[in-house]
Amino acid sequence: MAEGAPHPIRVVTSVTSRTVLGSLVGLLLWAQLPVVALGWTAGVVQSGSMRPALMPGDVVLYQPPPRNRTPAVGQIVLAQDPIRPGHLLTHRVYQVLPNNDLITKGDANSTPDSTPIRPTALQGVARLRVPWVGLAVQLWRARQPVSEAILLLGLATLLGLAALPLHSRSQHK
């Protein structure tokens, strides 16, 4: 190795950790840009009812529902959960009833939801999925301290590796 040249392992470690951190920051910005610029809503997928289209920990961006237009069968919607007041539901439109109420169904569920969703309960129509970005939020809400600790330790390790100098101190003497 040439004198004064950075050690190859340090270069690979630094570039890799900075790439991963940069990608995470980019995904976070990508997930927030439509929220800030367009007034969309962002939500973290909490359950596996929409697998494989949406995975727990994904962030989904929802465009406000169109006025005087019912979402089409097959679209993924965000709505007030008719079974659990105060909770939101992300499912695919399975059927539109004559009165424009929606029957929804999770992709991983064997049967459609039993209670229709009123058009006034719609919060948005899914437009963009950003994978994994909401994993920390999902773990926090699930109160899984071991998983949270592993995630934080991994992030701290990446930050530490990204901050390492490329040259060792012995090379600067």
Side-chain angles (χ1 to χ4, degrees), residues 17-102:
S17 58
R18 290 175 186 190
T19 300
V20 170
L21 288 170
S23 297
L24 288 173
V25 169
L27 286 171
L28 284 169
L29 290 173
W30 183 247
Q32 289 305 305
L33 184 64
V35 172
V36 174
L38 303 172
W40 289 14
T41 301
V44 177
V45 176
Q46 295 294 315
S47 76
S49 70
M50 283 300 296
R51 287 179 191 253
L54 304 175
M55 304 297 280
D58 289 351
V59 170
V60 179
L61 298 171
Y62 303 92
Q63 182 179 25
R67 294 178 191 237
N68 302 323
R69 229 177 97 219
T70 303
V73 170
Q75 287 187 301
I76 297 172
V77 295
L78 176 69
Q80 293 291 329
D81 191 333
I83 302 295
R84 299 180 310 151
H87 289 89
L88 296 174
L89 174 75
T90 295
H91 276 179
R92 194 176 300 277
V93 175
Y94 182 78
Q95 180 182 6
V96 179
L97 300 175
N99 66 352
N100 286 336
D101 283 0
L102 304 175

